[in-house]
Amino acid sequence: MGTVVDDTAAAEFHAFFERHYAELSRLAHLLTGEPDAADDLAADALLALWHRWDRLRAADHPVAYARGVVANLARTRVRTAVRERRRVALFWAQREERTEDPDVAGVVDVREALRRLPFRKRACVVLRHAFDLSEKDTALALGVSVGTVKSQTSKAMAELQRLLGTQAVPKRVHAAIARSGGAAGRNR
């Protein structure tokens, strides 16, 4: 008899899905302004509903609940996008530096050494030494703790010293980025 109830619930949910998916997608599009994300948000909302369908199918207004789920998912997506834009703005807001007669070999060496680092270590070094961000601002930009920035930067600098064979790594990183065009070189 459990199979009959499960089949009935599945049929009811399928009918609910068919009736309301387009509406929920349209709602997500209007809330986020992102047509590509709208279908994903509607699908995520319906998946959440499916997991609670045994309780929701008996509710007075399951569509209202579905709209609330879409609204919450859209709000989360918008907040995430705003945080990401703030991180990007913080990263790119540094002053533009230009240097004549760049040390091309030095730039190539530093960039190659940086590419060999794992992303988080590389990001900490670049933000701290090439963009002169504080540990706190670097942590904010990367969404990690100040302690993580300290440890990742320290480990990365040790690795860069090993790779580049010099004790003047912070100066070389800063100079290599500045010589390659500073902010202009970031667009490559």
Side-chain angles (χ1 to χ4, degrees):
M1 184 154 213
T3 306
V4 174
V5 172
D6 291 341
D7 290 343
T8 303
E12 288 174 2
F13 181 78
H14 181 73
F16 182 87
F17 180 96
E18 292 296 324
R19 268 192 318 271
H20 300 290
Y21 178 79
E23 171 195 347
L24 296 173
S25 181
R26 191 169 53 252
L27 174 62
H29 177 218
L30 292 171
L31 292 175
T32 63
E34 299 178 32
D36 295 339
D39 287 336
D40 291 341
L41 289 174
D44 289 346
L46 286 164
L47 179 62
L49 265 65
W50 171 246
H51 290 297
R52 294 173 187 81
W53 190 246
D54 58 325
R55 286 177 272 153
L56 288 174
R57 68 192 247 203
D60 291 335
H61 303 288
V63 176
Y65 183 82
R67 289 180 189 134
V69 172
V70 169
N72 286 334
L73 290 171
R75 180 179 21 254
T76 299
R77 184 170 183 88
V78 168
R79 285 180 178 165
T80 300
V82 167
R83 279 194 304 269
E84 185 63 26
R85 278 189 225 114
R86 285 181 185 153
R87 287 179 182 151
V88 168
L90 177 64
F91 183 81
W92 295 114
Q94 299 302 309
R95 66 190 177 281
E96 192 171 321
E97 299 174 13
R98 290 215 174 259
T99 303
E100 293 184 28
D101 302 323
D103 176 9
V104 176
V107 170
V108 169
D109 289 346
V110 170
R111 284 190 176 178
E112 181 57 35
L114 285 170
R115 271 191 219 106
R116 294 176 69 181
L117 295 176
F119 176 78
R120 186 177 288 174
K121 288 180 182 176
R122 181 180 342 133
C124 286
V125 168
V126 169
L127 291 172
R128 291 281 296 124
H129 295 287
F131 290 90
D132 296 322
L133 292 185
S134 67
E135 290 167 340
K136 182 180 176 183
D137 288 341
T138 300
L140 179 64
L142 297 176
V144 298
S145 70
V146 171
T148 298
V149 170
K150 289 178 180 181
S151 76
Q152 292 294 295
T153 302
S154 175
K155 290 174 184 176
M157 295 305 285
E159 183 68 14
L160 287 173
Q161 286 175 347
R162 186 185 67 72
L163 292 170
L164 296 171
T166 180
Q167 295 298 315
V169 170
K171 289 181 183 179
R172 283 191 69 186
V173 170
H174 189 281
I177 299 296
R179 287 186 184 130
S180 66
R186 291 181 291 223
N187 293 329
R188 296 177 192 182

PDB file of all heavy atoms in Angstrom, residues 154-178:
ATOM      1  N   SER A 154      52.768  33.348   4.311  1.00  0.00           N
ATOM      2  CA  SER A 154      54.070  32.906   4.798  1.00  0.00           C
ATOM      3  C   SER A 154      54.548  31.661   4.045  1.00  0.00           C
ATOM      4  O   SER A 154      55.691  31.596   3.583  1.00  0.00           O
ATOM      5  CB  SER A 154      53.997  32.611   6.295  1.00  0.00           C
ATOM      6  OG  SER A 154      55.211  32.076   6.758  1.00  0.00           O
ATOM      7  N   LYS A 155      53.661  30.688   3.906  1.00  0.00           N
ATOM      8  CA  LYS A 155      54.024  29.460   3.183  1.00  0.00           C
ATOM      9  C   LYS A 155      54.313  29.746   1.717  1.00  0.00           C
ATOM     10  O   LYS A 155      55.245  29.187   1.131  1.00  0.00           O
ATOM     11  CB  LYS A 155      52.899  28.433   3.305  1.00  0.00           C
ATOM     12  CG  LYS A 155      52.744  27.864   4.704  1.00  0.00           C
ATOM     13  CD  LYS A 155      51.530  26.961   4.805  1.00  0.00           C
ATOM     14  CE  LYS A 155      51.319  26.479   6.223  1.00  0.00           C
ATOM     15  NZ  LYS A 155      50.093  25.690   6.368  1.00  0.00           N
ATOM     16  N   ALA A 156      53.525  30.632   1.121  1.00  0.00           N
ATOM     17  CA  ALA A 156      53.719  30.968  -0.291  1.00  0.00           C
ATOM     18  C   ALA A 156      55.041  31.689  -0.505  1.00  0.00           C
ATOM     19  O   ALA A 156      55.757  31.425  -1.479  1.00  0.00           O
ATOM     20  CB  ALA A 156      52.564  31.826  -0.793  1.00  0.00           C
ATOM     21  N   MET A 157      55.384  32.600   0.399  1.00  0.00           N
ATOM     22  CA  MET A 157      56.636  33.337   0.258  1.00  0.00           C
ATOM     23  C   MET A 157      57.837  32.396   0.384  1.00  0.00           C
ATOM     24  O   MET A 157      58.822  32.528  -0.340  1.00  0.00           O
ATOM     25  CB  MET A 157      56.710  34.461   1.294  1.00  0.00           C
ATOM     26  CG  MET A 157      55.644  35.533   1.093  1.00  0.00           C
ATOM     27  SD  MET A 157      55.649  36.271  -0.556  1.00  0.00           S
ATOM     28  CE  MET A 157      57.090  37.291  -0.410  1.00  0.00           C
ATOM     29  N   ALA A 158      57.738  31.433   1.284  1.00  0.00           N
ATOM     30  CA  ALA A 158      58.819  30.455   1.423  1.00  0.00           C
ATOM     31  C   ALA A 158      58.965  29.648   0.132  1.00  0.00           C
ATOM     32  O   ALA A 158      60.083  29.393  -0.335  1.00  0.00           O
ATOM     33  CB  ALA A 158      58.547  29.535   2.611  1.00  0.00           C
ATOM     34  N   GLU A 159      57.838  29.265  -0.446  1.00  0.00           N
ATOM     35  CA  GLU A 159      57.871  28.509  -1.702  1.00  0.00           C
ATOM     36  C   GLU A 159      58.427  29.367  -2.838  1.00  0.00           C
ATOM     37  O   GLU A 159      59.219  28.894  -3.660  1.00  0.00           O
ATOM     38  CB  GLU A 159      56.464  28.017  -2.043  1.00  0.00           C
ATOM     39  CG  GLU A 159      56.384  27.170  -3.292  1.00  0.00           C
ATOM     40  CD  GLU A 159      57.074  25.816  -3.168  1.00  0.00           C
ATOM     41  OE1 GLU A 159      57.399  25.388  -2.048  1.00  0.00           O
ATOM     42  OE2 GLU A 159      57.288  25.179  -4.218  1.00  0.00           O
ATOM     43  N   LEU A 160      58.028  30.627  -2.898  1.00  0.00           N
ATOM     44  CA  LEU A 160      58.558  31.524  -3.933  1.00  0.00           C
ATOM     45  C   LEU A 160      60.053  31.741  -3.765  1.00  0.00           C
ATOM     46  O   LEU A 160      60.789  31.802  -4.763  1.00  0.00           O
ATOM     47  CB  LEU A 160      57.811  32.864  -3.922  1.00  0.00           C
ATOM     48  CG  LEU A 160      56.402  32.837  -4.474  1.00  0.00           C
ATOM     49  CD1 LEU A 160      55.716  34.177  -4.252  1.00  0.00           C
ATOM     50  CD2 LEU A 160      56.394  32.464  -5.955  1.00  0.00           C
ATOM     51  N   GLN A 161      60.510  31.862  -2.528  1.00  0.00           N
ATOM     52  CA  GLN A 161      61.951  32.008  -2.308  1.00  0.00           C
ATOM     53  C   GLN A 161      62.698  30.779  -2.813  1.00  0.00           C
ATOM     54  O   GLN A 161      63.758  30.889  -3.419  1.00  0.00           O
ATOM     55  CB  GLN A 161      62.245  32.242  -0.823  1.00  0.00           C
ATOM     56  CG  GLN A 161      61.875  33.636  -0.381  1.00  0.00           C
ATOM     57  CD  GLN A 161      62.050  33.854   1.112  1.00  0.00           C
ATOM     58  OE1 GLN A 161      62.230  32.905   1.882  1.00  0.00           O
ATOM     59  NE2 GLN A 161      61.984  35.105   1.521  1.00  0.00           N
ATOM     60  N   ARG A 162      62.112  29.619  -2.594  1.00  0.00           N
ATOM     61  CA  ARG A 162      62.735  28.394  -3.095  1.00  0.00           C
ATOM     62  C   ARG A 162      62.738  28.376  -4.619  1.00  0.00           C
ATOM     63  O   ARG A 162      63.747  28.057  -5.246  1.00  0.00           O
ATOM     64  CB  ARG A 162      61.994  27.171  -2.555  1.00  0.00           C
ATOM     65  CG  ARG A 162      62.668  25.838  -2.900  1.00  0.00           C
ATOM     66  CD  ARG A 162      61.851  24.647  -2.463  1.00  0.00           C
ATOM     67  NE  ARG A 162      60.606  24.476  -3.173  1.00  0.00           N
ATOM     68  CZ  ARG A 162      60.506  24.057  -4.446  1.00  0.00           C
ATOM     69  NH1 ARG A 162      61.580  23.789  -5.145  1.00  0.00           N
ATOM     70  NH2 ARG A 162      59.328  23.909  -5.008  1.00  0.00           N
ATOM     71  N   LEU A 163      61.610  28.752  -5.234  1.00  0.00           N
ATOM     72  CA  LEU A 163      61.500  28.725  -6.692  1.00  0.00           C
ATOM     73  C   LEU A 163      62.345  29.797  -7.372  1.00  0.00           C
ATOM     74  O   LEU A 163      62.934  29.546  -8.430  1.00  0.00           O
ATOM     75  CB  LEU A 163      60.037  28.904  -7.113  1.00  0.00           C
ATOM     76  CG  LEU A 163      59.087  27.765  -6.771  1.00  0.00           C
ATOM     77  CD1 LEU A 163      57.641  28.184  -7.016  1.00  0.00           C
ATOM     78  CD2 LEU A 163      59.425  26.522  -7.589  1.00  0.00           C
ATOM     79  N   LEU A 164      62.404  30.982  -6.780  1.00  0.00           N
ATOM     80  CA  LEU A 164      63.127  32.088  -7.399  1.00  0.00           C
ATOM     81  C   LEU A 164      64.567  32.206  -6.922  1.00  0.00           C
ATOM     82  O   LEU A 164      65.361  32.928  -7.529  1.00  0.00           O
ATOM     83  CB  LEU A 164      62.394  33.406  -7.141  1.00  0.00           C
ATOM     84  CG  LEU A 164      61.011  33.511  -7.774  1.00  0.00           C
ATOM     85  CD1 LEU A 164      60.291  34.760  -7.275  1.00  0.00           C
ATOM     86  CD2 LEU A 164      61.114  33.526  -9.292  1.00  0.00           C
ATOM     87  N   GLY A 165      64.900  31.515  -5.825  1.00  0.00           N
ATOM     88  CA  GLY A 165      66.268  31.528  -5.324  1.00  0.00           C
ATOM     89  C   GLY A 165      66.723  32.884  -4.827  1.00  0.00           C
ATOM     90  O   GLY A 165      67.854  33.284  -5.056  1.00  0.00           O
ATOM     91  N   THR A 166      65.839  33.610  -4.160  1.00  0.00           N
ATOM     92  CA  THR A 166      66.203  34.932  -3.658  1.00  0.00           C
ATOM     93  C   THR A 166      65.467  35.224  -2.370  1.00  0.00           C
ATOM     94  O   THR A 166      64.407  34.673  -2.107  1.00  0.00           O
ATOM     95  CB  THR A 166      65.878  36.029  -4.692  1.00  0.00           C
ATOM     96  OG1 THR A 166      66.246  37.293  -4.148  1.00  0.00           O
ATOM     97  CG2 THR A 166      64.418  36.050  -5.058  1.00  0.00           C
ATOM     98  N   GLN A 167      66.045  36.114  -1.574  1.00  0.00           N
ATOM     99  CA  GLN A 167      65.410  36.540  -0.330  1.00  0.00           C
ATOM    100  C   GLN A 167      64.520  37.763  -0.548  1.00  0.00           C
ATOM    101  O   GLN A 167      63.757  38.134   0.316  1.00  0.00           O
ATOM    102  CB  GLN A 167      66.476  36.872   0.728  1.00  0.00           C
ATOM    103  CG  GLN A 167      67.296  35.667   1.150  1.00  0.00           C
ATOM    104  CD  GLN A 167      66.449  34.591   1.801  1.00  0.00           C
ATOM    105  OE1 GLN A 167      65.609  34.872   2.629  1.00  0.00           O
ATOM    106  NE2 GLN A 167      66.660  33.346   1.425  1.00  0.00           N
ATOM    107  N   ALA A 168      64.621  38.414  -1.721  1.00  0.00           N
ATOM    108  CA  ALA A 168      63.889  39.657  -1.994  1.00  0.00           C
ATOM    109  C   ALA A 168      62.580  39.386  -2.739  1.00  0.00           C
ATOM    110  O   ALA A 168      62.192  40.143  -3.610  1.00  0.00           O
ATOM    111  CB  ALA A 168      64.770  40.600  -2.800  1.00  0.00           C
ATOM    112  N   VAL A 169      61.899  38.323  -2.383  1.00  0.00           N
ATOM    113  CA  VAL A 169      60.683  37.938  -3.102  1.00  0.00           C
ATOM    114  C   VAL A 169      59.595  39.007  -3.048  1.00  0.00           C
ATOM    115  O   VAL A 169      59.033  39.344  -4.085  1.00  0.00           O
ATOM    116  CB  VAL A 169      60.157  36.570  -2.594  1.00  0.00           C
ATOM    117  CG1 VAL A 169      58.790  36.275  -3.155  1.00  0.00           C
ATOM    118  CG2 VAL A 169      61.133  35.481  -2.998  1.00  0.00           C
ATOM    119  N   PRO A 170      59.252  39.598  -1.881  1.00  0.00           N
ATOM    120  CA  PRO A 170      58.175  40.602  -1.896  1.00  0.00           C
ATOM    121  C   PRO A 170      58.457  41.748  -2.863  1.00  0.00           C
ATOM    122  O   PRO A 170      57.576  42.176  -3.603  1.00  0.00           O
ATOM    123  CB  PRO A 170      58.122  41.100  -0.451  1.00  0.00           C
ATOM    124  CG  PRO A 170      58.663  39.975   0.349  1.00  0.00           C
ATOM    125  CD  PRO A 170      59.713  39.337  -0.524  1.00  0.00           C
ATOM    126  N   LYS A 171      59.681  42.232  -2.877  1.00  0.00           N
ATOM    127  CA  LYS A 171      60.035  43.321  -3.798  1.00  0.00           C
ATOM    128  C   LYS A 171      59.933  42.860  -5.242  1.00  0.00           C
ATOM    129  O   LYS A 171      59.480  43.589  -6.107  1.00  0.00           O
ATOM    130  CB  LYS A 171      61.448  43.833  -3.502  1.00  0.00           C
ATOM    131  CG  LYS A 171      61.539  44.598  -2.207  1.00  0.00           C
ATOM    132  CD  LYS A 171      62.938  45.105  -1.980  1.00  0.00           C
ATOM    133  CE  LYS A 171      63.026  45.820  -0.639  1.00  0.00           C
ATOM    134  NZ  LYS A 171      64.362  46.318  -0.364  1.00  0.00           N
ATOM    135  N   ARG A 172      60.354  41.632  -5.521  1.00  0.00           N
ATOM    136  CA  ARG A 172      60.289  41.131  -6.903  1.00  0.00           C
ATOM    137  C   ARG A 172      58.847  40.952  -7.352  1.00  0.00           C
ATOM    138  O   ARG A 172      58.514  41.232  -8.493  1.00  0.00           O
ATOM    139  CB  ARG A 172      61.053  39.809  -7.030  1.00  0.00           C
ATOM    140  CG  ARG A 172      62.556  40.023  -7.063  1.00  0.00           C
ATOM    141  CD  ARG A 172      63.299  38.783  -7.459  1.00  0.00           C
ATOM    142  NE  ARG A 172      63.075  38.446  -8.861  1.00  0.00           N
ATOM    143  CZ  ARG A 172      63.523  37.337  -9.420  1.00  0.00           C
ATOM    144  NH1 ARG A 172      64.206  36.476  -8.705  1.00  0.00           N
ATOM    145  NH2 ARG A 172      63.271  37.081 -10.673  1.00  0.00           N
ATOM    146  N   VAL A 173      57.989  40.465  -6.474  1.00  0.00           N
ATOM    147  CA  VAL A 173      56.576  40.294  -6.838  1.00  0.00           C
ATOM    148  C   VAL A 173      55.965  41.653  -7.134  1.00  0.00           C
ATOM    149  O   VAL A 173      55.333  41.845  -8.169  1.00  0.00           O
ATOM    150  CB  VAL A 173      55.790  39.573  -5.717  1.00  0.00           C
ATOM    151  CG1 VAL A 173      54.299  39.618  -5.987  1.00  0.00           C
ATOM    152  CG2 VAL A 173      56.265  38.134  -5.584  1.00  0.00           C
ATOM    153  N   HIS A 174      56.173  42.596  -6.218  1.00  0.00           N
ATOM    154  CA  HIS A 174      55.613  43.932  -6.412  1.00  0.00           C
ATOM    155  C   HIS A 174      56.177  44.567  -7.681  1.00  0.00           C
ATOM    156  O   HIS A 174      55.442  45.110  -8.505  1.00  0.00           O
ATOM    157  CB  HIS A 174      55.906  44.810  -5.192  1.00  0.00           C
ATOM    158  CG  HIS A 174      55.174  46.109  -5.225  1.00  0.00           C
ATOM    159  ND1 HIS A 174      55.580  47.166  -5.988  1.00  0.00           N
ATOM    160  CD2 HIS A 174      54.037  46.501  -4.610  1.00  0.00           C
ATOM    161  CE1 HIS A 174      54.746  48.169  -5.838  1.00  0.00           C
ATOM    162  NE2 HIS A 174      53.795  47.788  -5.004  1.00  0.00           N
ATOM    163  N   ALA A 175      57.476  44.489  -7.866  1.00  0.00           N
ATOM    164  CA  ALA A 175      58.108  45.097  -9.041  1.00  0.00           C
ATOM    165  C   ALA A 175      57.660  44.417 -10.331  1.00  0.00           C
ATOM    166  O   ALA A 175      57.421  45.090 -11.339  1.00  0.00           O
ATOM    167  CB  ALA A 175      59.629  45.021  -8.902  1.00  0.00           C
ATOM    168  N   ALA A 176      57.525  43.105 -10.306  1.00  0.00           N
ATOM    169  CA  ALA A 176      57.125  42.391 -11.522  1.00  0.00           C
ATOM    170  C   ALA A 176      55.725  42.787 -11.951  1.00  0.00           C
ATOM    171  O   ALA A 176      55.461  43.006 -13.136  1.00  0.00           O
ATOM    172  CB  ALA A 176      57.208  40.885 -11.309  1.00  0.00           C
ATOM    173  N   ILE A 177      54.814  42.909 -10.999  1.00  0.00           N
ATOM    174  CA  ILE A 177      53.450  43.311 -11.343  1.00  0.00           C
ATOM    175  C   ILE A 177      53.437  44.757 -11.803  1.00  0.00           C
ATOM    176  O   ILE A 177      52.801  45.102 -12.793  1.00  0.00           O
ATOM    177  CB  ILE A 177      52.486  43.102 -10.150  1.00  0.00           C
ATOM    178  CG1 ILE A 177      52.442  41.639  -9.743  1.00  0.00           C
ATOM    179  CG2 ILE A 177      51.102  43.624 -10.481  1.00  0.00           C
ATOM    180  CD1 ILE A 177      51.896  40.697 -10.774  1.00  0.00           C
ATOM    181  N   ALA A 178      54.147  45.631 -11.097  1.00  0.00           N
ATOM    182  CA  ALA A 178      54.187  47.047 -11.475  1.00  0.00           C
ATOM    183  C   ALA A 178      54.814  47.218 -12.855  1.00  0.00           C
ATOM    184  O   ALA A 178      54.329  47.994 -13.676  1.00  0.00           O
ATOM    185  CB  ALA A 178      54.965  47.846 -10.437  1.00  0.00           C
TER     186      ALA A 178
END
